[in-house]
Amino acid sequence: MVDSERQSGAAMTPDGVPATAARAGETVAARLKERIYATITLTAVVVALAETDHPEHTESALTVAVTALGVWLATLVADEQSHRALTGRNATWPEIRTALHVSSPLLLTALGPLVLIGASALGFLELETALLVSAGVEVATLFLWGWRTGLGMGNGRLSALVSGLVDTAIGVSVVAVKLLAGH
């Protein structure tokens, strides 16, 4: 496909990658970045909720949902502001759609904690347990993304393990800092 795109005059990056493939890769990377950021943020929130004396289901669910919504909206505002600063114009509809697509993982990250909070409200488990399980799942997700990235780099399973552990340690450290700062 690269040769056919070269022959057809399709735009190429300086390293010979079709521009459309490069943009697709950038979009995937940006979505993953947003998902990791949201995972770390929401992990800190659910751990903080679990540490409160008497967490309530409605308050916990609203806190998770509003946190995800707030981070998502802040990201959209920052994207638009930086876009205007860089280009001197407002984003076009295709650019807005791309920004919505890239930032959507910020909202999706709240789904797991909300499902577990809902299961707790139905009596399947205690709320504190639901919140801690949610945090554990999110931390495990950080490890899996690191592992997958490590494998994708082609350096073997040991490298993937180290990558997963480093990502997990960084995520847990950020959560600890957020908790120590009272967020």
Side-chain angles (χ1 to χ4, degrees), residues 62-161:
L62 284 173
T63 299
V64 167
V66 169
T67 298
L69 182 62
V71 170
W72 178 68
L73 290 172
T75 298
L76 290 177
V77 169
D79 284 349
E80 178 59 22
Q81 289 290 339
S82 62
H83 176 38
R84 285 194 305 229
L86 181 65
T87 65
R89 63 175 176 76
N90 290 326
T92 63
W93 178 242
E95 291 166 333
I96 292 169
R97 277 196 341 252
T98 298
L100 292 170
H101 175 70
V102 166
S103 64
S104 64
L106 291 166
L107 295 172
L108 294 174
T109 303
L111 188 60
L114 290 173
V115 167
L116 285 166
I117 292 167
S120 173
L122 294 173
F124 291 107
L125 66 164
E126 295 295 320
L127 180 55
E128 183 178 351
T129 303
L131 293 169
L132 292 175
V133 166
S134 176
V137 168
E138 298 297 342
V139 168
T141 301
L142 288 173
F143 173 81
L144 291 174
W145 283 325
W147 168 268
R148 183 175 171 211
T149 302
L151 285 177
M153 292 170 57
N155 295 328
R157 291 179 187 254
L158 180 59
S159 176
L161 177 64

Side-chain angles (χ1 to χ4, degrees), residues 158-182:
L158 180 59
S159 176
L161 177 64
V162 170
S163 177
L165 291 173
V166 167
D167 284 2
T168 302
I170 291 169
V172 169
S173 296
V174 171
V175 169
V177 168
K178 286 181 167 278
L179 291 173
L180 290 173

Side-chain angles (χ1 to χ4, degrees), residues 47-56 59-60 128 131:
V47 170
L49 285 168
E51 290 183 342
T52 61
D53 288 335
H54 301 290
E56 296 180 11
E59 179 185 350
S60 296
E128 183 178 351
L131 293 169

